[in-house]
């Protein structure tokens, strides 16, 4: 799955962004399949907005986000759902877990959404153990701390097939050790699928061996 | 899809307004019951009317004439059917066979032989042979025959035997005797008068007239007829079902009349049909309300879980999956309701059949095919309406 940006420009930020240069906004950008992409951006330059455009849950832009050569709006709702089940996964900055489900159920939801479970339960238990969240799997999403939710959201994003993983400040509430563990797990899962990722963050970091760096 | 749907059950709460939903289900049940009962009652009634098991042959012959009103008295031409009127009667769907009643255009006097001292002025009429209920090989006349076969109305003999003869102190006469009597028939017009022999060959319950073979009537009208051919004032039809309300309405609309006794079923049938239609109509109204409440319930469920459904769609749940899940929450209940109504109708039908059988009225103890078809149709309608509602609201999110 190839993602291309053709002069993408968020309408609300238009005036502000025209006064500074950017590697992404209002340019032709192609993200090559399987590459690890880091997008560094100061606050307020449209990091989350970009992730939402790429995942097609916000539409207030000019220009185009083309997926496999077709702009997002040309896909039907059912096509988009199928792509979100099979080809593109996401970790939101605001995590978006279901509070009425337990941590495990939040993970399983994505594991079984496309029909047959993608990973067996042991694999999920293994991932939880690596991120130190085994003990909270049966707790309701409501009672989890932000750092715990972040790790559950990471695991949830990894228990489905994908070619691209979109991440919006995925380690913002994790300590250094947990960040290392999470980054290792993500890299491993991406390699296993031959998949790439697009990660946005405020600062430089060494969590991954990035192929490409952009400044937003 | 099972594990996924199990999780959806925790996310999408269908418990909101559950009582309303159950009441709508009860409403659907009653609606379905009324509709099915109306259909079954209709089936039963046709079985009673038309089934060969119930023995009562309904096809009947009706002699139709115009009603004589005070205004028409003295103007016999007004009671005559015009060719257009005849064509109109002939083309009615309830007319299986059609015949004209030809009347004589000459004077007839009948005398009993010997010292019976019986003589009467008379008339003859003729109908096509296929309309007669008397089968007799003597019922034929060829030019040159001096003997005319005659069919008398049964009522006529009864009137004589039980009315006239008793009051006049005359002997009662059996059918056999009448058939054996050689009658003297004088046929005349203003110029000529001829004598023939009359021979009664049978008695008709169907046609209240003095009948001679059509061949004789044609010949005699030609020979003795005084005027140019007069029109027909009585016609006879064969109808498969004299209780058919359209037949009764046709007669009324045109000012025609016939033996009212034969039409008596029609009223009963109209009443039953009206009741059945009213029951069915209420069933349909109730069904509409049930559908409305279901749609509102679905709307409520979707609206109350709007945020959850939005997040599910963001995470990649297909609208199709949501539609299937939501329908799965409701449809089994509809099927249960449908089957319960069917069961109830089956019990009612068995009970009705048992009661009617005691009166020699035979109907099937099972619900008819139409009932099953009706149930399927109602369920299909409920399903389609639900599906459209779910689709509409899920896609709007």
């Amino acid at each position: 799955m190839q993602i291309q940006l053709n002069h993408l420009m968020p309408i609300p930020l238009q005036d502000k962004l025209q006064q500074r240069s950017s590697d992404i906004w209002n340019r032709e950008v192609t993200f090559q399949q399987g590459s690890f992409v880091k997008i560094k951006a100061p606050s307020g330059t449209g990091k989350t907005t970009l992730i939402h455009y790429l995942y097609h849950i916000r539409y207030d832009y000019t220009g185009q986000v083309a997926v496999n050569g077709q702009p997002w709006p040309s896909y039907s709702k059912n096509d988009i759902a199928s792509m979100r089940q099979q080809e593109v996964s996401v970790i939101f900055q605001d995590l978006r877990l279901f509070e009425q489900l337990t941590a495990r159920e939040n993970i399983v939801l994505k594991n079984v959404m496309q029909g047959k479970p993608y990973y067996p339960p042991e694999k999920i238990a293994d991932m939880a153990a690596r991120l130190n969240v085994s003990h909270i799997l049966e707790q309701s999403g409501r009672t989890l701390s932000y750092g715990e939710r972040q790790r559950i959201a990471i695991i949830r994003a990894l228990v489905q097939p994908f070619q691209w993983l979109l991440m919006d400040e995925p380690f913002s509430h994790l300590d250094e050790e947990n960040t290392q563990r999470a980054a290792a797990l993500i890299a491993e899962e991406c390699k296993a699928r031959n998949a790439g990722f697009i990660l946005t963050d405020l600062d430089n970091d060494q969590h991954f061996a990035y192929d490409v760096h952009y400044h937003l | 899809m099972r594990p996924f749907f199990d999780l959806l059950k925790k996310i999408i709460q269908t418990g909101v307004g559950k009582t309303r939903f159950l009441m709508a289900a009860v409403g659907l049940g009653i609606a379905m019951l009324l509709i099915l009962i109306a259909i079954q009652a209709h089936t039963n009634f046709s079985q009673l009317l038309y089934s060969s098991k119930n023995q009562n042959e309904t096809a009947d012959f009706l002699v139709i004439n115009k009603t004589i009103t005070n205004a028409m008295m003295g103007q016999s031409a007004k009671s005559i059917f015009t060719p257009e009127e005849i064509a109109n009667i002939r083309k009615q769907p309830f007319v299986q066979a059609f015949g004209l009643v030809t009347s004589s255009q000459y004077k007839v006097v009948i005398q009993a032989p010997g010292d019976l001292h019986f003589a009467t002025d008379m008339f003859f009429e003729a109908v096509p042979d296929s309309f007669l209920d008397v089968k007799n090989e003597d019922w034929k006349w060829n030019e040159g025959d001096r003997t005319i076969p005659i069919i008398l109305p049964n009522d006529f003999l009864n009137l004589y035997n039980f009315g006239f003869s008793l009051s006049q102190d005359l002997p009662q006469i059996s059918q056999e005797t009448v058939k054996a009597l050689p009658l003297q028939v004088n046929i005349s017009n203003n110029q000529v008068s001829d004598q023939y022999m009359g021979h009664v060959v049978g008695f008709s319950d169907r046609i209240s007239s003095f009948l001679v073979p059509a061949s004789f009537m044609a010949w005699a009208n030609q020979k003795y007829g005084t005027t140019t051919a007069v029109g027909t004032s009585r016609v006879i039809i064969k109808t498969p079902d004299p209780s058919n309300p359209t037949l009764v309405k046709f007669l009324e609309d045109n000012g025609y009349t016939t033996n009212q006794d034969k039409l008596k079923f029609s009223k009963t049938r109209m009443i039953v049909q009206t009741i059945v239609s009213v029951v069915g109509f209420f069933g349909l109204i109730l069904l509409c309300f049930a559908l409305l409440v279901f749609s509102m319930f679905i709307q409520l469920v979707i609206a109350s879980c709007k945020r959850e459904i939005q997040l599910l769609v963001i995470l990649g749940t297909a609208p199709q999956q949501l539609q299937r899940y939501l329908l799965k929450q409701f449809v089994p209940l509809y099927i249960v309701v449908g089957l319960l109504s069917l069961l109830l109708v089956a019990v009612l039908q068995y009970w009705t059949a048992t009661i009617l059988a005691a009166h020699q009225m035979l109907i099937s103890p099972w619900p008819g095919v139409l009932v099953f078809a009706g149930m399927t149709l109602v369920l299909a309608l409920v399903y389609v309406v639900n599906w459209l509602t779910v689709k509409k609201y899920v896609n709007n999110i």
Side-chain angles (χ1 to χ4, degrees), chain B residues 311-331:
Chain B
L311 181 49
L312 280 168
V313 170
I314 284 175
L315 291 177
T317 309
Q320 265 175 0
Q321 283 177 305
L322 287 169
Q323 285 163 25
R324 215 167 340 137
Y325 168 76
L326 285 168
L327 279 179
K328 244 181 113 171
Q329 304 310 302
F330 310 131
V331 170

Side-chain angles (χ1 to χ4, degrees), chain B residues 137-393:
Chain B
E137 55 188 33
D138 289 339
W139 183 253
K140 56 176 189 270
W141 186 88
N142 297 313
E143 208 172 325
D145 290 356
R146 299 304 293 175
T147 305
I148 313 162
I150 299 170
I151 292 175
L152 297 182
N154 220 351
D155 286 341
F156 179 72
L157 188 62
N158 288 341
L159 280 176
Y160 171 81
N161 275 339
F162 305 107
F164 191 69
S165 72
L166 291 180
S167 63
Q168 305 286 319
D169 207 13
L170 287 167
Q172 290 179 310
I173 316 173
S174 71
Q175 287 196 354
E176 286 70 35
T177 310
V178 177
K179 286 183 185 173
L181 278 178
L183 298 170
Q184 196 176 315
V185 180
N186 288 322
I187 292 182
S188 60
N189 58 16
N190 291 334
Q191 285 103 38
V192 283
S193 170
D194 285 320
Q195 276 202 359
Y196 297 89
M197 293 298 291
H199 172 211
V200 175
V201 299
F203 296 86
S204 171
D205 283 316
R206 186 179 292 163
I207 300 165
S208 247
S209 186
F210 304 96
L211 299 174
V212 292
S215 50
F216 173 78
M217 182 61 86
W219 175 83
N221 271 347
Q222 177 103 46
K223 180 164 183 199
Y224 302 103
T226 45
T227 51
T228 46
V230 287
T232 308
S233 56
R234 302 218 288 178
V235 297
I236 183 164
I237 61 163
K238 183 184 183 191
T239 179
D241 172 20
S243 68
N244 184 347
T246 44
L247 163 63
V248 178
K249 187 167 181 303
F250 175 79
L251 294 181
E252 265 171 22
D253 288 352
N254 289 287
Y256 301 158
T257 183
T258 185
N259 187 343
Q260 292 300 318
D261 200 41
K262 297 196 170 167
L263 307 177
K264 70 180 178 214
F265 265 134
S266 177
K267 260 212 171 87
T268 327
R269 196 170 142 180
M270 292 259 276
I271 292 168
V272 171
Q273 269 183 350
T274 311
I275 293 174
V276 166
S277 314
V278 167
V279 167
F281 179 71
F282 276 112
L284 284 177
I285 297 272
L286 205 54
L287 178 67
C288 289
F289 277 106
L291 285 175
L292 191 70
V293 177
F294 283 137
S295 300
M296 284 163 64
F297 177 74
I298 289 169
Q299 197 182 347
L300 179 72
V301 165
I302 293 176
S304 71
C305 300
K306 190 170 176 165
R307 285 171 57 86
E308 283 82 0
I309 290 176
Q310 276 171 340
L311 181 49
L312 280 168
V313 170
I314 284 175
L315 291 177
T317 309
Q320 265 175 0
Q321 283 177 305
L322 287 169
Q323 285 163 25
R324 215 167 340 137
Y325 168 76
L326 285 168
L327 279 179
K328 244 181 113 171
Q329 304 310 302
F330 310 131
V331 170
L333 183 69
Y334 303 152
I335 293 174
V336 168
V337 166
L339 289 179
L340 277 181
S341 322
L342 189 65
L343 189 73
L344 217 58
V345 170
V347 171
L348 272 176
Q349 176 67 6
Y350 184 78
W351 182 66
T352 316
T354 322
I355 289 185
L356 287 180
H359 302 281
Q360 270 72 49
M361 294 196 270
L362 300 176
I363 55 171
S364 157
W366 297 102
V369 184
L370 279 178
V371 168
F372 288 93
M375 186 192 75
T376 318
L377 207 70
V378 170
L379 284 183
L381 180 72
V382 173
Y383 181 83
V384 167
V385 169
N386 275 257
W387 180 70
L388 288 176
T389 316
V390 166
K391 197 174 142 113
K392 179 176 162 198
Y393 289 106

Side-chain angles (χ1 to χ4, degrees), chain A residues 55 77 85 105 110 113, chain B residues 10 313-316 321 395:
Chain A
Y55 195 64
K77 286 187 177 188
Q85 288 177 14
E105 284 166 344
K110 279 249 74 174
M113 192 177 278
Chain B
K10 292 191 175 176
V313 170
I314 284 175
L315 291 177
Q321 283 177 305
N395 279 331

